[in-house]
Amino acid sequence: MKVVILGAGVIGVTSAWYLARAGHEVVVVDRRDGPALETSFANAGEISPGYASPWAAPGIPAKALRWLFMRHAPLIVRPGFDPAMMRWLVAMLGNCTARAYRVNKGRMVRLAEFSRDRLIELRRETGIRYDERSQGTLQLFRREKDLAGVTKDIEVLKADGVPFELLDAAGCIAAEPGLANSASPIAGGLRLPNDETGDCFKFTTALAELARTEGVRFLLNRRIEAIEASGGRIIHVRTDRGDIKGDAYLAALGSHSPLLLSPLGIRLPVYPVKGYSITVPIIDPARAPVSTLLDESFKVAITRLGDRIRVGGMAEISGYSNDLPPARRATLDHCVGSLFPDAGDLSRASFWSGLRPMTPDGTPVIGTTRYSNLFLNTGHGTLGWTMACGSGHVIADIIGGKRPAIETADLAIDRYRS
Ligand SMILES: Cc1cc2nc3c(=O)[nH]c(=O)nc-3n(C[C@H](O)[C@H](O)[C@H](O)COP(=O)(O)OP(=O)(O)OC[C@H]3O[C@@H](n4cnc5c(N)ncnc54)[C@H](O)[C@@H]3O)c2cc1C
């Protein structure tokens, strides 16, 4: 079967890999001149099934109100007149109940753990390198009162069987020795030893190369203008450089997925939630993080990627803009500068923004559509890197008519019908 994949981010490329391995002819189409040049380019690098949970949670509406007025705020809302934004916000608020949180988290953890295992398997099988590290993640609490709130998280981790270590300040410094120089007080931390880190861009470009050797063709610098259907099937994809035909089509267009799907009558509740990162060259490795640290006060992740530190986070609801306001960079500089002073050269850091393809329930949309040969693998929000290999693996099974190794019925778009 010839499968046309729309989008060469980490989701499109992992899908291409598993489809090619299953024996299909695969073509990947993207408007950029290489893979992973949009949201998959400079994310925070965490592969964190342990922290896989939806942003929509009980207590979030009250917290969100507080965040809106903070200096170095983790959440920024720039409301314009955008009905899609309003619909998405209302749907997200509707998911902030204890029941919805449990259901959504269960789906996310299932996929994220399956995905981590597929990534380990892929590494073993191919030897792929991407500044990877398997040294866990540390959620750091600067204030005692934040640490007090960790009891609830621990209950969830215990219920899910996720190994964890609750650390005092000395324990945090033992896990991340660079914190000995922190200019900020440290109350304690929660360490998840099974989480991993790595550079999503390096991974995606390396996997794309491996996929090429399996026969996958990349049609780059092609803007997809429409997905054309007739009689309940997709007949081709129209691009600015001609039509592309296949037997099956997979939409993996990240935040842009709803724009191309809505003319087909597919209402995908994905909205861009913008985040920012800086990538800082390390000047003193002894002062730098060894793995990923999640700064709970600012909801910012600080990750070691080879000879660089990636600092990423923040959630800005402002539509499809990729602009780079200096105030956001100041927040990221402040986080890394206060916890790991003089570890990196902030004056040489590169500043980036990306649009997380977020669903209101935090879970991606993976599966079939009402068009018999159109499939979806999108809406991975905050955890696309964490969930990529698992998502690629299950969609390859679904397209190939095989039963996926994990339950996937509740990941399909149909879940929004009720
Ligand atoms: C600041 C930040 C930090 C993050 N940190 C983490 C993290 O630590 N761990 C984690 O797991 N996840 C993280 N994420 C989330 C993760 O990066 C995303 O979920 C993931 O990259 C989404 O991948 P994707 O392939 O769906 O989208 P993309 O990477 O955006 O790929 C979509 C592709 O579609 C193409 N495309 C779109 N429209 C068209 C068109 N009309 N024609 C042709 N091509 C088109 C684009 O060019 C792009 O290549 C973070 C995100 C951000 C912004």
PDB file of all heavy atoms in Angstrom, residues 7-11 30-32 38-40 43-46 222-224 252-254 256 260 275-276 354 356 381-386, ligand 1:
ATOM      1  N   GLY A   7       3.214  15.988   6.678  1.00  0.00           N
ATOM      2  CA  GLY A   7       3.930  16.548   7.825  1.00  0.00           C
ATOM      3  C   GLY A   7       5.149  15.722   8.191  1.00  0.00           C
ATOM      4  O   GLY A   7       5.056  14.509   8.369  1.00  0.00           O
ATOM      5  N   ALA A   8       6.305  16.404   8.286  1.00  0.00           N
ATOM      6  CA  ALA A   8       7.572  15.716   8.607  1.00  0.00           C
ATOM      7  C   ALA A   8       8.109  16.165   9.957  1.00  0.00           C
ATOM      8  O   ALA A   8       9.314  16.330  10.138  1.00  0.00           O
ATOM      9  CB  ALA A   8       8.594  15.963   7.502  1.00  0.00           C
ATOM     10  N   GLY A   9       7.203  16.384  10.924  1.00  0.00           N
ATOM     11  CA  GLY A   9       7.653  16.590  12.303  1.00  0.00           C
ATOM     12  C   GLY A   9       7.977  15.233  12.913  1.00  0.00           C
ATOM     13  O   GLY A   9       7.975  14.196  12.225  1.00  0.00           O
ATOM     14  N   VAL A  10       8.225  15.225  14.231  1.00  0.00           N
ATOM     15  CA  VAL A  10       8.593  13.958  14.870  1.00  0.00           C
ATOM     16  C   VAL A  10       7.478  12.929  14.725  1.00  0.00           C
ATOM     17  O   VAL A  10       7.745  11.726  14.594  1.00  0.00           O
ATOM     18  CB  VAL A  10       8.992  14.177  16.355  1.00  0.00           C
ATOM     19  CG1 VAL A  10       7.803  14.595  17.239  1.00  0.00           C
ATOM     20  CG2 VAL A  10       9.660  12.943  16.935  1.00  0.00           C
ATOM     21  N   ILE A  11       6.226  13.377  14.657  1.00  0.00           N
ATOM     22  CA  ILE A  11       5.104  12.442  14.550  1.00  0.00           C
ATOM     23  C   ILE A  11       5.028  11.842  13.141  1.00  0.00           C
ATOM     24  O   ILE A  11       4.873  10.631  12.969  1.00  0.00           O
ATOM     25  CB  ILE A  11       3.776  13.142  14.934  1.00  0.00           C
ATOM     26  CG1 ILE A  11       3.852  13.665  16.388  1.00  0.00           C
ATOM     27  CG2 ILE A  11       2.578  12.214  14.730  1.00  0.00           C
ATOM     28  CD1 ILE A  11       4.063  12.608  17.447  1.00  0.00           C
ATOM     29  N   ASP A  30       6.197  17.807   3.126  1.00  0.00           N
ATOM     30  CA  ASP A  30       6.298  18.919   4.084  1.00  0.00           C
ATOM     31  C   ASP A  30       6.669  20.206   3.347  1.00  0.00           C
ATOM     32  O   ASP A  30       7.365  20.174   2.336  1.00  0.00           O
ATOM     33  CB  ASP A  30       7.347  18.622   5.160  1.00  0.00           C
ATOM     34  CG  ASP A  30       7.120  19.449   6.416  1.00  0.00           C
ATOM     35  OD1 ASP A  30       7.405  20.670   6.401  1.00  0.00           O
ATOM     36  OD2 ASP A  30       6.627  18.885   7.414  1.00  0.00           O
ATOM     37  N   ARG A  31       6.224  21.318   3.910  1.00  0.00           N
ATOM     38  CA  ARG A  31       6.504  22.618   3.283  1.00  0.00           C
ATOM     39  C   ARG A  31       7.917  23.116   3.580  1.00  0.00           C
ATOM     40  O   ARG A  31       8.421  24.009   2.906  1.00  0.00           O
ATOM     41  CB  ARG A  31       5.499  23.649   3.779  1.00  0.00           C
ATOM     42  CG  ARG A  31       5.527  23.877   5.282  1.00  0.00           C
ATOM     43  CD  ARG A  31       4.410  24.802   5.701  1.00  0.00           C
ATOM     44  NE  ARG A  31       4.259  24.820   7.143  1.00  0.00           N
ATOM     45  CZ  ARG A  31       3.217  25.349   7.758  1.00  0.00           C
ATOM     46  NH1 ARG A  31       2.243  25.896   7.072  1.00  0.00           N
ATOM     47  NH2 ARG A  31       3.146  25.341   9.072  1.00  0.00           N
ATOM     48  N   ARG A  32       8.560  22.554   4.589  1.00  0.00           N
ATOM     49  CA  ARG A  32       9.888  23.029   4.960  1.00  0.00           C
ATOM     50  C   ARG A  32      10.946  22.265   4.168  1.00  0.00           C
ATOM     51  O   ARG A  32      10.651  21.272   3.514  1.00  0.00           O
ATOM     52  CB  ARG A  32      10.106  22.835   6.460  1.00  0.00           C
ATOM     53  CG  ARG A  32       9.016  23.454   7.314  1.00  0.00           C
ATOM     54  CD  ARG A  32       8.972  24.967   7.173  1.00  0.00           C
ATOM     55  NE  ARG A  32      10.138  25.580   7.717  1.00  0.00           N
ATOM     56  CZ  ARG A  32      10.186  26.302   8.835  1.00  0.00           C
ATOM     57  NH1 ARG A  32       9.076  26.542   9.521  1.00  0.00           N
ATOM     58  NH2 ARG A  32      11.307  26.825   9.263  1.00  0.00           N
ATOM     59  N   GLU A  38       9.585  22.651  12.546  1.00  0.00           N
ATOM     60  CA  GLU A  38       8.568  23.480  13.230  1.00  0.00           C
ATOM     61  C   GLU A  38       8.553  23.095  14.718  1.00  0.00           C
ATOM     62  O   GLU A  38       9.576  23.193  15.376  1.00  0.00           O
ATOM     63  CB  GLU A  38       7.235  23.378  12.500  1.00  0.00           C
ATOM     64  CG  GLU A  38       7.413  23.932  11.066  1.00  0.00           C
ATOM     65  CD  GLU A  38       6.220  24.610  10.452  1.00  0.00           C
ATOM     66  OE1 GLU A  38       5.139  24.632  11.042  1.00  0.00           O
ATOM     67  OE2 GLU A  38       6.391  25.137   9.319  1.00  0.00           O
ATOM     68  N   THR A  39       7.431  22.614  15.251  1.00  0.00           N
ATOM     69  CA  THR A  39       7.371  22.426  16.716  1.00  0.00           C
ATOM     70  C   THR A  39       8.369  21.393  17.235  1.00  0.00           C
ATOM     71  O   THR A  39       8.776  21.438  18.396  1.00  0.00           O
ATOM     72  CB  THR A  39       5.929  22.052  17.132  1.00  0.00           C
ATOM     73  OG1 THR A  39       5.051  23.008  16.540  1.00  0.00           O
ATOM     74  CG2 THR A  39       5.750  22.101  18.624  1.00  0.00           C
ATOM     75  N   SER A  40       8.769  20.450  16.382  1.00  0.00           N
ATOM     76  CA  SER A  40       9.699  19.415  16.838  1.00  0.00           C
ATOM     77  C   SER A  40      11.153  19.908  16.848  1.00  0.00           C
ATOM     78  O   SER A  40      12.068  19.131  17.124  1.00  0.00           O
ATOM     79  CB  SER A  40       9.589  18.185  15.925  1.00  0.00           C
ATOM     80  OG  SER A  40       8.253  17.736  15.856  1.00  0.00           O
ATOM     81  N   ASN A  43      12.203  21.699  21.254  1.00  0.00           N
ATOM     82  CA  ASN A  43      11.396  21.522  22.472  1.00  0.00           C
ATOM     83  C   ASN A  43      12.304  21.238  23.665  1.00  0.00           C
ATOM     84  O   ASN A  43      13.524  21.218  23.544  1.00  0.00           O
ATOM     85  CB  ASN A  43      10.306  20.463  22.261  1.00  0.00           C
ATOM     86  CG  ASN A  43      10.858  19.068  22.087  1.00  0.00           C
ATOM     87  OD1 ASN A  43      11.923  18.736  22.577  1.00  0.00           O
ATOM     88  ND2 ASN A  43      10.132  18.236  21.372  1.00  0.00           N
ATOM     89  N   ALA A  44      11.668  21.006  24.827  1.00  0.00           N
ATOM     90  CA  ALA A  44      12.464  20.926  26.056  1.00  0.00           C
ATOM     91  C   ALA A  44      13.217  19.599  26.214  1.00  0.00           C
ATOM     92  O   ALA A  44      14.017  19.455  27.139  1.00  0.00           O
ATOM     93  CB  ALA A  44      11.563  21.172  27.262  1.00  0.00           C
ATOM     94  N   GLY A  45      12.966  18.644  25.330  1.00  0.00           N
ATOM     95  CA  GLY A  45      13.806  17.440  25.301  1.00  0.00           C
ATOM     96  C   GLY A  45      13.436  16.346  26.290  1.00  0.00           C
ATOM     97  O   GLY A  45      14.110  15.319  26.358  1.00  0.00           O
ATOM     98  N   GLU A  46      12.352  16.521  27.022  1.00  0.00           N
ATOM     99  CA  GLU A  46      11.980  15.512  28.027  1.00  0.00           C
ATOM    100  C   GLU A  46      11.213  14.358  27.395  1.00  0.00           C
ATOM    101  O   GLU A  46      10.233  14.594  26.675  1.00  0.00           O
ATOM    102  CB  GLU A  46      11.019  16.106  29.046  1.00  0.00           C
ATOM    103  CG  GLU A  46      11.626  16.923  30.114  1.00  0.00           C
ATOM    104  CD  GLU A  46      10.511  17.354  31.070  1.00  0.00           C
ATOM    105  OE1 GLU A  46      10.202  16.588  31.989  1.00  0.00           O
ATOM    106  OE2 GLU A  46       9.956  18.432  30.866  1.00  0.00           O
ATOM    107  N   ARG A 222       7.151  21.620  -0.179  1.00  0.00           N
ATOM    108  CA  ARG A 222       5.829  21.538  -0.844  1.00  0.00           C
ATOM    109  C   ARG A 222       4.747  21.910   0.148  1.00  0.00           C
ATOM    110  O   ARG A 222       4.561  21.216   1.149  1.00  0.00           O
ATOM    111  CB  ARG A 222       5.542  20.115  -1.303  1.00  0.00           C
ATOM    112  CG  ARG A 222       6.479  19.716  -2.383  1.00  0.00           C
ATOM    113  CD  ARG A 222       5.911  18.565  -3.130  1.00  0.00           C
ATOM    114  NE  ARG A 222       6.993  18.049  -3.954  1.00  0.00           N
ATOM    115  CZ  ARG A 222       6.815  17.495  -5.112  1.00  0.00           C
ATOM    116  NH1 ARG A 222       5.598  17.369  -5.584  1.00  0.00           N
ATOM    117  NH2 ARG A 222       7.831  17.050  -5.796  1.00  0.00           N
ATOM    118  N   ARG A 223       4.072  22.978  -0.142  1.00  0.00           N
ATOM    119  CA  ARG A 223       2.971  23.419   0.719  1.00  0.00           C
ATOM    120  C   ARG A 223       1.706  22.650   0.345  1.00  0.00           C
ATOM    121  O   ARG A 223       1.302  22.643  -0.813  1.00  0.00           O
ATOM    122  CB  ARG A 223       2.750  24.928   0.533  1.00  0.00           C
ATOM    123  CG  ARG A 223       1.590  25.496   1.341  1.00  0.00           C
ATOM    124  CD  ARG A 223       1.595  27.006   1.272  1.00  0.00           C
ATOM    125  NE  ARG A 223       2.821  27.523   1.869  1.00  0.00           N
ATOM    126  CZ  ARG A 223       2.987  27.720   3.170  1.00  0.00           C
ATOM    127  NH1 ARG A 223       2.004  27.451   4.008  1.00  0.00           N
ATOM    128  NH2 ARG A 223       4.117  28.189   3.627  1.00  0.00           N
ATOM    129  N   ILE A 224       1.100  22.003   1.310  1.00  0.00           N
ATOM    130  CA  ILE A 224      -0.168  21.299   1.048  1.00  0.00           C
ATOM    131  C   ILE A 224      -1.274  22.337   1.087  1.00  0.00           C
ATOM    132  O   ILE A 224      -1.411  23.076   2.073  1.00  0.00           O
ATOM    133  CB  ILE A 224      -0.404  20.190   2.088  1.00  0.00           C
ATOM    134  CG1 ILE A 224       0.739  19.168   2.028  1.00  0.00           C
ATOM    135  CG2 ILE A 224      -1.744  19.508   1.866  1.00  0.00           C
ATOM    136  CD1 ILE A 224       0.889  18.317   3.269  1.00  0.00           C
ATOM    137  N   ALA A 252      -0.409  14.412   9.831  1.00  0.00           N
ATOM    138  CA  ALA A 252       0.478  14.589  10.995  1.00  0.00           C
ATOM    139  C   ALA A 252       1.029  16.014  10.909  1.00  0.00           C
ATOM    140  O   ALA A 252       2.232  16.232  10.905  1.00  0.00           O
ATOM    141  CB  ALA A 252       1.598  13.547  10.959  1.00  0.00           C
ATOM    142  N   LEU A 253       0.116  16.964  10.838  1.00  0.00           N
ATOM    143  CA  LEU A 253       0.474  18.357  10.543  1.00  0.00           C
ATOM    144  C   LEU A 253       0.569  19.222  11.793  1.00  0.00           C
ATOM    145  O   LEU A 253       0.544  20.444  11.712  1.00  0.00           O
ATOM    146  CB  LEU A 253      -0.559  18.945   9.584  1.00  0.00           C
ATOM    147  CG  LEU A 253      -0.576  18.308   8.181  1.00  0.00           C
ATOM    148  CD1 LEU A 253      -1.937  18.476   7.526  1.00  0.00           C
ATOM    149  CD2 LEU A 253       0.519  18.909   7.301  1.00  0.00           C
ATOM    150  N   GLY A 254       0.678  18.590  12.953  1.00  0.00           N
ATOM    151  CA  GLY A 254       0.811  19.347  14.197  1.00  0.00           C
ATOM    152  C   GLY A 254      -0.328  20.338  14.364  1.00  0.00           C
ATOM    153  O   GLY A 254      -1.499  20.030  14.070  1.00  0.00           O
ATOM    154  N   HIS A 256      -1.232  22.663  12.645  1.00  0.00           N
ATOM    155  CA  HIS A 256      -1.892  23.071  11.405  1.00  0.00           C
ATOM    156  C   HIS A 256      -2.899  22.036  10.908  1.00  0.00           C
ATOM    157  O   HIS A 256      -3.596  22.278   9.923  1.00  0.00           O
ATOM    158  CB  HIS A 256      -0.830  23.388  10.335  1.00  0.00           C
ATOM    159  CG  HIS A 256       0.075  24.494  10.776  1.00  0.00           C
ATOM    160  ND1 HIS A 256      -0.156  25.807  10.469  1.00  0.00           N
ATOM    161  CD2 HIS A 256       1.166  24.470  11.579  1.00  0.00           C
ATOM    162  CE1 HIS A 256       0.767  26.550  11.050  1.00  0.00           C
ATOM    163  NE2 HIS A 256       1.579  25.766  11.729  1.00  0.00           N
ATOM    164  N   LEU A 260      -6.340  22.105   7.604  1.00  0.00           N
ATOM    165  CA  LEU A 260      -6.519  21.330   6.374  1.00  0.00           C
ATOM    166  C   LEU A 260      -7.637  20.303   6.492  1.00  0.00           C
ATOM    167  O   LEU A 260      -8.145  19.816   5.473  1.00  0.00           O
ATOM    168  CB  LEU A 260      -5.194  20.658   5.983  1.00  0.00           C
ATOM    169  CG  LEU A 260      -4.242  21.647   5.307  1.00  0.00           C
ATOM    170  CD1 LEU A 260      -2.798  21.258   5.479  1.00  0.00           C
ATOM    171  CD2 LEU A 260      -4.573  21.802   3.829  1.00  0.00           C
ATOM    172  N   GLY A 275       4.919  27.836  22.987  1.00  0.00           N
ATOM    173  CA  GLY A 275       5.932  27.741  24.033  1.00  0.00           C
ATOM    174  C   GLY A 275       7.228  28.330  23.513  1.00  0.00           C
ATOM    175  O   GLY A 275       7.367  28.590  22.306  1.00  0.00           O
ATOM    176  N   TYR A 276       8.160  28.540  24.417  1.00  0.00           N
ATOM    177  CA  TYR A 276       9.437  29.172  24.053  1.00  0.00           C
ATOM    178  C   TYR A 276      10.595  28.329  24.577  1.00  0.00           C
ATOM    179  O   TYR A 276      10.453  27.628  25.580  1.00  0.00           O
ATOM    180  CB  TYR A 276       9.532  30.552  24.693  1.00  0.00           C
ATOM    181  CG  TYR A 276       8.486  31.528  24.201  1.00  0.00           C
ATOM    182  CD1 TYR A 276       7.248  31.630  24.826  1.00  0.00           C
ATOM    183  CD2 TYR A 276       8.742  32.345  23.101  1.00  0.00           C
ATOM    184  CE1 TYR A 276       6.285  32.524  24.378  1.00  0.00           C
ATOM    185  CE2 TYR A 276       7.781  33.242  22.647  1.00  0.00           C
ATOM    186  CZ  TYR A 276       6.558  33.322  23.288  1.00  0.00           C
ATOM    187  OH  TYR A 276       5.613  34.213  22.836  1.00  0.00           O
ATOM    188  N   GLY A 354       7.609  27.651  19.524  1.00  0.00           N
ATOM    189  CA  GLY A 354       6.928  26.565  18.797  1.00  0.00           C
ATOM    190  C   GLY A 354       5.482  26.484  19.242  1.00  0.00           C
ATOM    191  O   GLY A 354       5.128  26.935  20.336  1.00  0.00           O
ATOM    192  N   ARG A 356       2.547  24.177  20.260  1.00  0.00           N
ATOM    193  CA  ARG A 356       2.139  22.817  20.664  1.00  0.00           C
ATOM    194  C   ARG A 356       0.737  22.523  20.112  1.00  0.00           C
ATOM    195  O   ARG A 356      -0.190  23.303  20.364  1.00  0.00           O
ATOM    196  CB  ARG A 356       2.059  22.692  22.177  1.00  0.00           C
ATOM    197  CG  ARG A 356       3.334  22.969  22.933  1.00  0.00           C
ATOM    198  CD  ARG A 356       3.043  22.862  24.416  1.00  0.00           C
ATOM    199  NE  ARG A 356       4.170  23.222  25.241  1.00  0.00           N
ATOM    200  CZ  ARG A 356       4.389  24.455  25.701  1.00  0.00           C
ATOM    201  NH1 ARG A 356       3.567  25.439  25.396  1.00  0.00           N
ATOM    202  NH2 ARG A 356       5.425  24.698  26.470  1.00  0.00           N
ATOM    203  N   GLY A 381       0.290  17.911  21.704  1.00  0.00           N
ATOM    204  CA  GLY A 381       0.429  18.943  22.732  1.00  0.00           C
ATOM    205  C   GLY A 381       1.786  19.023  23.374  1.00  0.00           C
ATOM    206  O   GLY A 381       2.807  19.184  22.713  1.00  0.00           O
ATOM    207  N   THR A 382       1.809  18.873  24.702  1.00  0.00           N
ATOM    208  CA  THR A 382       3.038  19.065  25.483  1.00  0.00           C
ATOM    209  C   THR A 382       3.959  17.861  25.405  1.00  0.00           C
ATOM    210  O   THR A 382       5.077  17.918  25.902  1.00  0.00           O
ATOM    211  CB  THR A 382       2.673  19.246  26.968  1.00  0.00           C
ATOM    212  OG1 THR A 382       1.837  18.152  27.355  1.00  0.00           O
ATOM    213  CG2 THR A 382       1.925  20.522  27.201  1.00  0.00           C
ATOM    214  N   LEU A 383       3.482  16.750  24.823  1.00  0.00           N
ATOM    215  CA  LEU A 383       4.236  15.496  24.981  1.00  0.00           C
ATOM    216  C   LEU A 383       4.484  14.756  23.669  1.00  0.00           C
ATOM    217  O   LEU A 383       4.575  13.535  23.638  1.00  0.00           O
ATOM    218  CB  LEU A 383       3.485  14.573  25.956  1.00  0.00           C
ATOM    219  CG  LEU A 383       3.556  15.024  27.418  1.00  0.00           C
ATOM    220  CD1 LEU A 383       2.517  14.294  28.249  1.00  0.00           C
ATOM    221  CD2 LEU A 383       4.942  14.788  27.995  1.00  0.00           C
ATOM    222  N   GLY A 384       4.615  15.513  22.572  1.00  0.00           N
ATOM    223  CA  GLY A 384       4.788  14.862  21.274  1.00  0.00           C
ATOM    224  C   GLY A 384       6.075  14.074  21.159  1.00  0.00           C
ATOM    225  O   GLY A 384       6.125  13.026  20.502  1.00  0.00           O
ATOM    226  N   TRP A 385       7.129  14.554  21.779  1.00  0.00           N
ATOM    227  CA  TRP A 385       8.412  13.853  21.733  1.00  0.00           C
ATOM    228  C   TRP A 385       8.309  12.582  22.578  1.00  0.00           C
ATOM    229  O   TRP A 385       8.709  11.499  22.160  1.00  0.00           O
ATOM    230  CB  TRP A 385       9.478  14.816  22.201  1.00  0.00           C
ATOM    231  CG  TRP A 385      10.906  14.413  22.395  1.00  0.00           C
ATOM    232  CD1 TRP A 385      11.767  14.996  23.281  1.00  0.00           C
ATOM    233  CD2 TRP A 385      11.683  13.422  21.701  1.00  0.00           C
ATOM    234  NE1 TRP A 385      13.013  14.413  23.181  1.00  0.00           N
ATOM    235  CE2 TRP A 385      12.986  13.445  22.223  1.00  0.00           C
ATOM    236  CE3 TRP A 385      11.398  12.500  20.706  1.00  0.00           C
ATOM    237  CZ2 TRP A 385      13.998  12.587  21.788  1.00  0.00           C
ATOM    238  CZ3 TRP A 385      12.420  11.636  20.260  1.00  0.00           C
ATOM    239  CH2 TRP A 385      13.692  11.695  20.798  1.00  0.00           C
ATOM    240  N   THR A 386       7.700  12.722  23.743  1.00  0.00           N
ATOM    241  CA  THR A 386       7.521  11.563  24.630  1.00  0.00           C
ATOM    242  C   THR A 386       6.688  10.467  23.962  1.00  0.00           C
ATOM    243  O   THR A 386       6.951   9.275  24.141  1.00  0.00           O
ATOM    244  CB  THR A 386       6.816  12.021  25.934  1.00  0.00           C
ATOM    245  OG1 THR A 386       7.612  13.030  26.546  1.00  0.00           O
ATOM    246  CG2 THR A 386       6.594  10.885  26.894  1.00  0.00           C
TER     247      THR A 386
HETATM  248  C1  LIG B   1       8.516  25.014  24.208  1.00  0.00           C
HETATM  249  C2  LIG B   1       8.101  23.590  23.979  1.00  0.00           C
HETATM  250  C3  LIG B   1       8.627  22.588  24.786  1.00  0.00           C
HETATM  251  C4  LIG B   1       8.237  21.267  24.596  1.00  0.00           C
HETATM  252  N1  LIG B   1       8.834  20.304  25.357  1.00  0.00           N
HETATM  253  C5  LIG B   1       8.512  19.007  25.167  1.00  0.00           C
HETATM  254  C6  LIG B   1       9.151  18.001  25.925  1.00  0.00           C
HETATM  255  O1  LIG B   1      10.030  18.272  26.733  1.00  0.00           O
HETATM  256  N2  LIG B   1       8.769  16.718  25.739  1.00  0.00           N
HETATM  257  C7  LIG B   1       7.790  16.373  24.853  1.00  0.00           C
HETATM  258  O2  LIG B   1       7.456  15.203  24.761  1.00  0.00           O
HETATM  259  N3  LIG B   1       7.205  17.307  24.062  1.00  0.00           N
HETATM  260  C8  LIG B   1       7.534  18.604  24.207  1.00  0.00           C
HETATM  261  N4  LIG B   1       6.941  19.575  23.446  1.00  0.00           N
HETATM  262  C9  LIG B   1       5.879  19.175  22.494  1.00  0.00           C
HETATM  263  C10 LIG B   1       6.430  18.598  21.195  1.00  0.00           C
HETATM  264  O3  LIG B   1       7.481  19.402  20.713  1.00  0.00           O
HETATM  265  C11 LIG B   1       5.293  18.540  20.164  1.00  0.00           C
HETATM  266  O4  LIG B   1       4.195  17.832  20.682  1.00  0.00           O
HETATM  267  C12 LIG B   1       5.753  17.841  18.872  1.00  0.00           C
HETATM  268  O5  LIG B   1       6.894  18.453  18.356  1.00  0.00           O
HETATM  269  C13 LIG B   1       4.642  17.881  17.817  1.00  0.00           C
HETATM  270  O6  LIG B   1       5.135  17.222  16.680  1.00  0.00           O
HETATM  271  P1  LIG B   1       4.317  17.177  15.328  1.00  0.00           P
HETATM  272  O7  LIG B   1       5.088  16.332  14.398  1.00  0.00           O
HETATM  273  O8  LIG B   1       2.902  16.836  15.618  1.00  0.00           O
HETATM  274  O9  LIG B   1       4.274  18.707  14.844  1.00  0.00           O
HETATM  275  P2  LIG B   1       5.384  19.551  14.029  1.00  0.00           P
HETATM  276  O10 LIG B   1       6.738  19.242  14.517  1.00  0.00           O
HETATM  277  O11 LIG B   1       4.950  20.964  14.063  1.00  0.00           O
HETATM  278  O12 LIG B   1       5.270  18.962  12.572  1.00  0.00           O
HETATM  279  C14 LIG B   1       4.204  19.324  11.692  1.00  0.00           C
HETATM  280  C15 LIG B   1       4.791  19.428  10.296  1.00  0.00           C
HETATM  281  O13 LIG B   1       3.716  19.737   9.399  1.00  0.00           O
HETATM  282  C16 LIG B   1       4.226  20.626   8.418  1.00  0.00           C
HETATM  283  N5  LIG B   1       3.112  21.379   7.840  1.00  0.00           N
HETATM  284  C17 LIG B   1       2.140  22.065   8.482  1.00  0.00           C
HETATM  285  N6  LIG B   1       1.276  22.619   7.583  1.00  0.00           N
HETATM  286  C18 LIG B   1       1.721  22.260   6.353  1.00  0.00           C
HETATM  287  C19 LIG B   1       1.258  22.506   5.024  1.00  0.00           C
HETATM  288  N7  LIG B   1       0.164  23.236   4.761  1.00  0.00           N
HETATM  289  N8  LIG B   1       1.956  21.980   3.996  1.00  0.00           N
HETATM  290  C20 LIG B   1       3.064  21.217   4.209  1.00  0.00           C
HETATM  291  N9  LIG B   1       3.544  20.959   5.450  1.00  0.00           N
HETATM  292  C21 LIG B   1       2.886  21.468   6.505  1.00  0.00           C
HETATM  293  C22 LIG B   1       5.185  21.529   9.186  1.00  0.00           C
HETATM  294  O14 LIG B   1       6.129  22.127   8.322  1.00  0.00           O
HETATM  295  C23 LIG B   1       5.807  20.560  10.185  1.00  0.00           C
HETATM  296  O15 LIG B   1       7.036  20.046   9.715  1.00  0.00           O
HETATM  297  C24 LIG B   1       7.301  20.926  23.583  1.00  0.00           C
HETATM  298  C25 LIG B   1       6.798  21.922  22.758  1.00  0.00           C
HETATM  299  C26 LIG B   1       7.193  23.246  22.931  1.00  0.00           C
HETATM  300  C27 LIG B   1       6.648  24.307  22.026  1.00  0.00           C
END
